[in-house]
Amino acid sequence: MAEQQTPKGALDDVDAVTRAVLTASRLLVAVSARSLAAVEERVTVAQFRMLVVLSTRGTTKLVELAELLQVAPSTAMRMVDRLIAAGLADRQANPVNRRETLLRLTEEGRRTVEEVTARRRAEIAAIVERLRPMERLALVEALNAFNEAGGEPPAPGADDPEPHPLGWITDGTLAHDA
């Protein structure tokens, strides 16, 4: 096997790394889109993101959900209305403050998040299996460093008893630890 040479200046070429990450992100977006294909008639990408936040955080106030998604509360409410109509979420008045609305996933919503996440994990695993062991190790090291630099917590393992598909950080703590 021919030994790969590192091109001069490649270790410090931010543009080359940026291009490689952009290409990888394009691949990951395609994987994400394919994993949503089975539910795309019922759920948009934005709505799925809301389902994931609800899956991660549990019962959440509408205002907090809007903040986490970085959308206006009225936009969040319209998204919630669609998810409720699809049977994926429900709402109730906060027993402590009746002016607040609490939102949570239904069992169908939880199943949807789990199924989409499982499809995504399987497709990514199939891609990773095509890499040589040393490439896998290098990829793990590089992506861990990249994720740490971006402040993203690690995804759960396949055997994690409580899968949290995404782990947004809120006030320095993982959203699902809050």
Side-chain angles (χ1 to χ4, degrees):
M1 181 189 283
E3 187 174 318
Q4 290 184 339
Q5 297 287 325
T6 302
K8 185 174 177 144
L11 295 178
D12 197 27
D13 189 347
V14 172
D15 186 56
V17 174
T18 301
R19 284 192 325 269
V21 171
L22 283 171
T23 302
S25 72
R26 208 172 50 226
L27 171 63
L28 292 171
V29 167
V31 167
S32 294
R34 287 190 296 267
S35 71
L36 277 168
V39 296
E40 70 184 345
E41 289 181 10
R42 294 185 345 168
V43 181
T44 67
V45 172
Q47 290 167 344
F48 182 74
R49 186 170 170 232
M50 180 177 275
L51 290 175
V52 169
V53 171
L54 289 171
S55 171
T56 303
R57 292 200 45 106
T59 301
T60 306
K61 292 186 235 175
L62 177 66
V63 172
E64 289 176 10
L65 185 59
E67 287 174 9
L68 287 167
L69 296 171
Q70 298 179 337
V71 299
S74 60
T75 300
M77 182 57 88
R78 284 190 300 276
M79 291 170 65
V80 166
D81 288 343
R82 290 182 189 113
L83 292 174
I84 289 169
L88 302 172
D90 67 13
R91 78 174 130 231
Q92 63 189 36
N94 186 343
V96 177
N97 180 349
R98 306 283 298 162
R99 292 179 294 154
E100 292 177 338
T101 301
L102 297 177
L103 308 161
R104 66 185 177 115
L105 289 182
T106 61
E107 190 54 41
E108 178 68 18
R110 187 164 314 288
R111 244 187 335 273
T112 298
V113 171
E114 289 169 359
E115 289 168 6
V116 170
T117 301
R119 280 193 295 278
R120 185 173 300 164
R121 180 180 287 281
E123 189 167 345
I124 290 171
I127 293 168
V128 169
E129 286 175 351
R130 292 191 286 255
L131 298 173
R132 295 185 303 258
M134 291 305 291
E135 291 171 327
R136 292 178 194 170
L137 177 62
L139 183 61
V140 167
E141 291 173 352
L143 288 175
N144 283 342
F146 182 78
N147 294 334
E148 187 174 317
E152 185 67 22
D159 298 331
D160 191 324
E162 280 192 50
H164 297 287
L166 299 176
W168 283 281
I169 294 180
T170 312
D171 301 327
T173 61
L174 289 176
H176 56 72
D177 293 340

